């Protein structure tokens, strides 16, 4: 008998409650030991004794990994590309020149409570600070989410701002992750935006279909299909191994539901910094009906230097990708430079 929507709606919240919240548990579940992790960090700034981040870093940005994502890691492999995205190494405690807390100029772009505008015609809403996973390279890991609206009533001034500005044609729901809102709150927000005539598109920037596939419920798909504005879903997957089992099913359901699904990835050292990894990612995305959109050069946020791939290496990977993939399978390689009118395609000439 098919599940009722009500039942499936509860699953993802339960899955989230059961997520792994410590590096020790993560390693234990994968049959790994702390000794298998060498950190590139030198002794001088070392805050924690082992290979893992200090307690202070973990208090600010704790480990969070849903079971579904964990199940897609290879048991016993310390270099697993999924594990590398969520394992808090002591490198995070390192300060480095040029790596700052607001690397992308978000705070200068704030137009109102929870509203960022950097580019013409589109605004981005910080709908929540919550995510279902904590990616250690996150560009908004230091964003002051507590200052942004929490309850729906607090959105009214931002919705009014969007309603008054007829130059805005697209609203991007971001965060955190907008699909962390429950269906009721998400629907209320979407309906309010949908009533604004000059809003032609509502875009969802979400990693939940990748890391917590149970979030892709019938109710969610029906909500998107019922919007007057064109929904566009932009997922965030960095490696072909993420796009397996329950995640592959969820992503395919989205792409077959009649709205565009795009992917953005971040170029990450030790995760996807090879032609092979990028080609496999694009091919897997295309197989699931998802168009590769952006490959982001890492934003220089404090504590993420160990993930950085030199731009010259990224350019070489990108050049070779164009030789092995169809044009539509090659993501745009971009970097965010504060103050520009769009993301900057690399090379920046
Ligand atoms: C990246 C970003 C967007 C989206 O840019 P597109 O090129 O339209 O994908 C919009 N607003 C902000 C603040 C952004 O950082
Ligand atoms: S899902 Fe996105 S916003 Fe959330 S931790 Fe990962 S990179 Fe950051």
């Amino acid at each position: 008998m098919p599940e009722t929507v009500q039942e499936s709606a509860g699953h993802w919240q339960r899955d989230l409650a059961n997520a792994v919240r410590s590096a020790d548990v993560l390693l234990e579940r994968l049959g790994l030991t702390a000794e298998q992790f060498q950190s590139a960090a030198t002794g001088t700034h070392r805050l924690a004794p082992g290979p893992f981040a200090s307690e202070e870093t973990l208090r600010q940005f704790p480990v969070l990994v849903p079971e579904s994502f964990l199940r897609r890691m290879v048991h016993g492999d310390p270099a697993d590309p999924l594990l590398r995205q969520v394992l808090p190494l002591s490198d995070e405690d390192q300060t480095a020149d040029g790596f700052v807390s607001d690397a992308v100029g978000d705070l200068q772009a704030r137009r109102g409570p929870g509203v960022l505008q950097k580019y013409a015609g589109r605004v981005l809403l910080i709908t929540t600070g919550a995510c279902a996973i904590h990616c250690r390279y996150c560009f908004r890991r230091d964003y002051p989410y507590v200052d942004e609206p929490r309850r729906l009533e607090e959105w009214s001034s931002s919705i009014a701002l969007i309603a008054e500005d007829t130059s805005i044609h697209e609203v991007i729901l971001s965060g955190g992750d907008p699909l962390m809102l429950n269906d009721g709150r998400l629907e209320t927000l979407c309906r309010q935006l949908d009533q604004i005539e000059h809003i032609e598109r509502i875009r969802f920037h979400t990693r939940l279909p990748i890391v917590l596939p149970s979030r892709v419920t019938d109710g969610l798909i029906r909500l998107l299909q019922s919007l007057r504005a064109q929904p566009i879903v932009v997922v965030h997957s960095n490696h072909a191994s993420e796009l397996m089992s329950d995640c592959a099913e969820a992503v395919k359901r989205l792409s077959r539901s009649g709205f565009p699904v795009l992917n953005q990835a971040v170029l990450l050292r030790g995760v996807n910094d090879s032609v092979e990894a990028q080609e496999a990612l694009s091919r897997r995305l295309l197989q699931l009906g998802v168009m590769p959109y952006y490959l982001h050069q890492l934003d220089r946020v404090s504590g993420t230097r160990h993930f950085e791939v030199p731009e010259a290496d990224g350019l070489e990977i990108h050049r070779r990708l164009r030789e092995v993939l169809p044009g539509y399978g090659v993501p745009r390689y971009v970097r965010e430079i504060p103050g520009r009118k769009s993301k900057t395609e690399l090379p920046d000439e």
Side-chain angles (χ1 to χ4, degrees):
M1 208 172 79
E3 280 182 329
T4 67
V5 172
Q6 213 55 39
E7 281 165 350
S8 71
H11 279 167
W12 68 271
Q13 276 140 331
R14 189 198 59 205
D15 290 347
L16 186 62
N18 290 336
V20 170
R21 286 158 205 274
S22 93
D24 292 337
V25 174
L26 199 53
L27 295 192
E28 190 192 310
R29 292 283 305 280
L30 293 168
L32 296 165
T33 62
E35 290 70 46
Q36 288 172 280
F37 294 89
Q38 301 253 317
S39 139
T42 49
T44 41
H45 299 95
R46 213 59 182 267
L47 298 178
F52 299 122
S54 67
E55 269 176 43
E56 198 196 326
T57 296
L58 289 172
R59 223 183 353 263
Q60 283 171 15
F61 195 54
V63 169
L64 183 62
V65 188
E67 283 287 333
S68 161
F69 196 74
L70 175 54
R71 278 197 299 271
R72 285 171 261 151
M73 296 177 190
V74 176
H75 192 87
D77 181 6
D80 182 273
L82 279 63
L83 173 63
R84 287 287 166 171
Q85 294 177 58
V86 296
L87 193 67
L89 295 176
S90 61
D91 307 67
E92 289 182 27
D93 300 326
Q94 304 290 302
T95 53
D97 284 349
F99 285 75
V100 297
S101 73
D102 180 21
V104 293
D106 272 349
L107 301 182
Q108 279 161 276
R110 197 168 178 276
R111 269 193 70 178
V115 184
L116 305 184
Q117 182 166 25
K118 290 183 183 169
Y119 309 135
R122 48 228 200 268
V123 294
L124 184 148
L125 294 191
I126 302 285
T127 57
T128 168
C131 283
I133 192 164
H134 286 169
C135 313
R136 307 313 302 182
Y137 54 84
C138 180
F139 70 113
R140 283 209 187 106
R141 56 184 287 169
D142 293 329
Y143 190 87
Y145 290 112
V146 286
D147 300 341
E148 301 300 15
R150 312 228 125 196
R151 292 171 301 120
L152 280 177
E153 306 85 84
E154 295 177 273
W155 279 110
S156 55
S157 72
S158 305
I159 305 248
L161 184 156
I162 294 167
E164 274 158 32
D165 185 344
T166 55
S167 75
I168 301 170
H169 300 303
E170 177 168 14
V171 177
I172 301 170
L173 304 187
S174 182
D177 200 306
L179 296 190
M180 289 292 279
L181 301 184
N182 65 35
D183 284 352
R185 296 185 66 190
L186 190 65
E187 174 157 11
T188 306
L189 182 59
C190 286
R191 296 262 178 254
Q192 287 177 3
L193 295 168
D194 211 29
Q195 278 169 16
I196 304 173
E197 266 176 53
H198 53 271
I199 297 306
E200 297 165 2
R201 305 174 303 274
I202 301 178
R203 196 196 311 185
F204 300 81
H205 274 189
T206 176
R207 200 165 191 216
L208 262 70
I210 307 300
V211 301
L212 195 77
S214 52
R215 179 65 185 95
V216 182
T217 58
D218 294 344
L220 176 68
I221 287 177
R222 274 203 304 271
L223 168 61
L224 298 192
Q225 286 173 331
S226 74
L227 296 173
R228 170 199 57 83
Q230 173 67 48
I232 297 170
V233 178
V234 183
V235 297
H236 166 188
S237 172
N238 298 313
H239 197 280
S241 302
E242 293 172 13
L243 298 162
M244 298 297 169
S245 51
D246 51 342
C247 166
E249 291 302 318
V251 168
K252 206 190 272 183
R253 275 183 70 210
L254 279 175
S255 73
R256 299 218 167 161
S257 297
F259 32 81
V261 183
L262 313 175
N263 183 62
Q264 47 185 346
V266 183
L267 185 59
L268 298 166
R269 190 158 102 195
V271 174
N272 58 13
D273 55 338
S274 69
V275 180
E276 296 69 33
Q278 289 295 332
E279 183 192 351
L281 173 60
S282 275
R283 285 174 51 193
R284 187 75 188 130
L285 288 166
L286 294 174
Q287 214 179 355
L288 297 173
V290 180
M291 304 303 282
Y293 180 34
Y294 280 145
L295 174 62
H296 293 271
Q297 177 67 12
L298 183 79
D299 296 318
R300 298 187 129 187
V301 171
S302 332
T304 65
R305 187 175 63 167
H306 55 298
F307 283 114
E308 187 171 55
V309 178
E311 203 176 293
D313 296 1
L315 284 172
E316 178 60 14
I317 291 170
H318 195 248
R319 187 186 68 72
R320 289 178 50 201
L321 271 188
R322 289 199 299 267
E323 297 174 353
V324 293
L325 289 168
Y328 58 80
V330 182
R332 296 184 182 104
Y333 181 36
V334 293
R335 130 170 276 159
E336 185 154 345
I337 302 178
R340 296 267 178 106
K341 288 185 158 60
S342 70
K343 310 239 189 269
T344 301
E345 286 206 45
L346 299 175
D348 181 21
E349 287 158 331

